[in-house]
Amino acid sequence: MRTSRIVAVGAAGIAAALALSACSSAGNGGNGGDTSTPDTSKTIGTVDGSGRTLTVWAMTGDYSDEVMKKVNDEFEAQTGAKVDVQVQAWDGITTKLTTALGTTTPPDVVDIGNTQVAGYANTGGLMDLSAYKDELQQGGTWVDSLAGPATFDGKLYAVPSFVGNRAVIYNKKMWADAGVTTAPTTYDELKSDLDKIKAKNSASDFSPFYLPGQFWYAGMSWVWDAGGDIATSDDGTWKGAFSSTEAQKGLDEFKAFQNAYSSKASQTLNTDKPNEDQIMADGKTATIIGALWDAGLVVSGSNGKITEDDLGTFALPNTAGGSGPAYNFGGGEVWGIAQKSPNQDLALVWTKIAASPDIQNALAAQPWIPNTKELAAEWATKATTLTQGFYDASGVTRATPGAAGWGTIEGNKNMEQFFSSVASGSKSVADAAKDMDATLDSTLNG
């Protein structure tokens, strides 16, 4: 769970050795329409904030107290202003933030999921930061899976903070018991290894590879690898793309893999109920797809039965049979500044500090994936067995459509329902894709 991320990674003792980069592939960034080149000539400069207070909304579990203090101390030293950090719960945050951004007294700086930027920008809630982009980048190259979604209609509305991608986490002992002692590097090897693990473990509630049907973050790897996508944009108009030959080929393979190696009950489930980390901690699966904090939750939930040394990671191999890792969803967080903030000058200073290399290094040790390719590559030299897979997978991250209505798709759990219908067979792949495309067509253009 997101509220447990910092604690979970610390529980496994891997916080100091995050080694991930997050370069994204082309083709799924997020410019929805206007492609004109924005003015980037403005400077943030110095600001006298004496007697003023900046309000920052940060999501629970995203930033350690140490990292936030580091940002605020530098900000106060530079401006003389104070900072009021208000930690927000994830439940109901979209409605709460939408309402707050519409008032005359919004929070000045807000912590936003990268997939949510377009919606807030479209309704006029966020400040256009395009004129300050060069200064906010501070000489680095932002990772594409953050920079793309932070851009809407050709303009920058958010500043990348950190990335979270996904990789395979596996129980090395269980794999070795089945005669598999090295991680697979191809999709065929993966399936062959899982067949051996399946033959070794005959319990009815055991899954060689636990992959819940609703887990679309993982399921999209099969679609992207086959050449498909969620949606495409033509002159600012978005259109669902699951009915393409490529997308349906990927969905067919996802269903075949899910049905072969995960439990039948999982076809209609997501990763939280029951929690996939606890399923692995209880020895009921040898393999999951997870984020960088999941290994820690497996260890902490096993009551000493599984240690950090028992686990390993590897990038999911290209599911279409190509070389290299599979495409994987690149989530993460960004900082936005409220359009109606009376303290935009201070907010720009604070956001620049939060995105600076100094703070990014502190975040990477928390651990999170840095917001620039340069820092990510530097941290990649510190890879461990529990972070190597994420590093290997990070070169091919993808993002969701940068469409105004994407937040509605997420809020309605349309993707979860779609992938579950494919995995369970409640609809044919063609019918499920047709229905999902119709939903995307009517919703994304919001």
Side-chain angles (χ1 to χ4, degrees), residues 22-42:
C23 306
S24 170
S25 65
N28 219 31
N31 291 353
D34 178 20
T35 57
S36 59
T37 302
D39 175 26
T40 59
S41 61
K42 293 183 180 179

Side-chain angles (χ1 to χ4, degrees), residues 305-348:
K305 295 179 181 179
I306 297 176
T307 69
E308 179 182 335
D309 292 337
D310 294 330
L311 302 178
T313 61
F314 60 87
L316 180 71
N318 185 293
T319 61
S323 61
Y327 287 115
N328 61 103
F329 174 73
E333 299 296 308
V334 296
W335 291 110
I337 297 176
Q339 175 61 32
K340 296 183 179 180
S341 165
N343 300 305
Q344 287 185 347
D345 55 347
L346 288 173
L348 283 165

Side-chain angles (χ1 to χ4, degrees), residues 38-110:
D39 175 26
T40 59
S41 61
K42 293 183 180 179
T43 58
I44 295 172
T46 58
V47 180
D48 182 2
S50 301
R52 297 162 66 186
T53 299
L54 189 77
T55 300
V56 176
W57 278 17
M59 300 309 300
T60 183
D62 275 355
Y63 301 91
S64 67
D65 292 342
E66 293 77 11
V67 168
M68 195 60 72
K69 183 178 186 302
K70 191 176 182 67
V71 177
N72 293 338
D73 285 350
E74 179 62 26
F75 171 78
E76 292 179 12
Q78 288 189 24
T79 66
K82 300 298 183 182
V83 184
D84 177 18
V85 177
Q86 299 177 8
V87 178
Q88 305 295 316
W90 288 102
D91 188 30
I93 187 57
T94 300
T95 300
K96 184 176 181 180
L97 183 53
T98 300
T99 301
L101 290 174
T103 69
T104 57
T105 57
D108 301 298
V109 183
V110 291

